[in-house]
Amino acid sequence: MSCKFRSAILLALAGVATFSANAQQIATPAILSKVGITQNLNARIPPDLVFRDETGKSVRIGDFFGQKPIVLSLVYFDCPALCTEVLNGELRTMKAISLDLGKDFDAVTVSFEPKDTPALARAKRDVYAGQYGRPEAADHWHFLTGEQQSIDALTNVVGFHYAYDSSIRQYAHAAAILVLTPDGRIDRYFYGVIYPARDVRLGLVEASQGKIGTLTDHAVLYCYQYDPMTGKYGMPIQRVTQVLGTATALSLFGFVFVMLGRERHQHHGAGRSA
């Protein structure tokens, strides 16, 4: 192979590498480095953070803490795409589970856009509570707006990182809903825009410390554990081993019991024949 040919190959490879690096930079805008979710499990949301409800009345977020777990979502109300999908996914899941909004849990949706108004909040509340379609939903799915100071304090404690893209006049942000304990501690994160009904139901049951849910839910929670890396419930390998070990022991016990019964039966038959 000639020296010129080798040089041409090296230049071509260098060009491909440079093109790939540039393409990767183009495909991943710098603003996305500021976007994401940092899990702060068990962190307590400061109850004195002040927001406005759908009527414009000043409220503390702690006013919604109490006896029931809470589904918390962070959106902004004139978002053209992702926020709507978050709320649609939350609505689908809440309709799919047999637990009732208001009776078993509450929902709080907070806008992280300080320019959003109570009128926008009320319009969103009316749409989603109306589509939920169960009694008193509008009194238990709260849509809040607030000043930047309260928004920053809330997003910081829940680990919700977002950034404003002035070039398109939109926010870049992650998608998730959270489950809070009745006293406002962060108990579970569920990522994306599709939230499995089983996982959210189990999250609410766990967050309530057993005050809601059925015996079946509590039995399932014995076998399944929340994985914070995936935001889903699954059976850990230790529990799988326990279950398989128990099943094996029961099978062996059953086999021995049957064999002993057969042996006694054969012995009893042989005695009668003699």
Side-chain angles (χ1 to χ4, degrees):
M1 182 182 295
S2 68
C3 181
K4 290 183 179 181
F5 189 64
R6 287 197 299 270
S7 298
I9 292 176
L10 291 174
L11 286 173
L13 291 174
V16 169
T18 301
F19 176 80
S20 299
N22 291 336
Q24 186 175 11
Q25 290 176 356
I26 294 173
T28 308
I31 194 172
L32 293 185
S33 64
K34 304 176 183 178
V35 174
I37 293 176
T38 302
Q39 287 202 12
N40 293 327
L41 292 171
N42 208 43
R44 189 166 187 262
I45 293 175
D48 292 331
L49 297 180
V50 176
F51 291 92
R52 297 182 298 271
D53 68 10
E54 303 88 352
T55 68
K57 176 185 175 183
S58 180
V59 295
R60 299 181 313 125
I61 198 166
D63 294 341
F64 307 107
F65 301 163
Q67 302 301 316
K68 297 185 289 288
I70 300 163
V71 177
L72 173 68
S73 48
L74 295 166
V75 300
Y76 67 105
F77 297 144
D78 62 349
C79 177
L82 187 56
C83 296
T84 299
E85 293 305 315
V86 169
L87 291 174
N88 287 346
E90 182 178 354
L91 174 65
R92 283 193 300 268
T93 299
M94 292 198 305
K95 291 178 69 173
I97 62 179
S98 58
L99 299 175
D100 287 320
L101 177 64
K103 176 185 175 183
D104 300 304
F105 67 96
D106 284 338
V108 176
T109 296
V110 181
S111 171
F112 54 83
E113 166 58 90
K115 295 179 182 178
D116 277 348
T117 64
L120 281 174
R122 184 169 60 253
K124 286 289 185 182
R125 189 274 313 274
D126 291 346
V127 167
Y128 283 97
Q131 290 185 34
Y132 181 73
R134 299 181 195 176
E136 300 182 355
D139 295 329
H140 296 280
W141 192 345
H142 311 282
F143 285 74
L144 309 181
T145 56
E147 303 297 329
Q148 192 68 61
Q149 182 177 358
S150 293
I151 293 170
D152 289 345
L154 177 61
T155 55
N156 285 339
V157 75
V158 303
F160 184 87
H161 309 295
Y162 64 100
Y164 185 71
D165 189 341
S166 58
S167 65
I168 58 174
R169 297 181 181 179
Q170 294 178 22
Y171 285 96
H173 61 93
I177 62 174
L178 291 75
V179 171
L180 310 180
T181 61
D183 63 349
R185 288 182 294 104
I186 301 169
D187 200 62
R188 297 288 180 260
Y189 291 79
F190 297 102
Y191 301 114
V193 297
I194 299 175
Y195 315 111
R198 184 204 67 172
D199 290 352
V200 174
R201 178 186 174 91
L202 292 177
L204 288 167
V205 172
E206 275 201 298
S208 75
Q209 297 179 342
K211 294 180 181 178
I212 63 174
T214 64
L215 290 175
T216 301
D217 293 323
H218 298 295
V220 171
L221 283 170
Y222 174 78
C223 294
Y224 289 83
Q225 291 182 0
Y226 176 76
D227 183 353
M229 297 298 294
T230 62
K232 296 180 179 180
Y233 281 82
M235 184 177 287
I237 187 63
Q238 297 91 342
R239 193 59 53 81
V240 172
T241 302
Q242 291 175 359
V243 171
L244 291 177
T246 301
T248 301
L250 290 174
S251 297
L252 288 173
F253 178 79
F255 175 76
V256 171
F257 181 79
V258 170
M259 293 304 295
L260 288 174
R262 287 181 179 177
E263 184 177 342
R264 285 196 298 268
H265 181 71
Q266 290 174 356
H267 181 73
H268 183 67
R272 286 195 299 178
S273 298

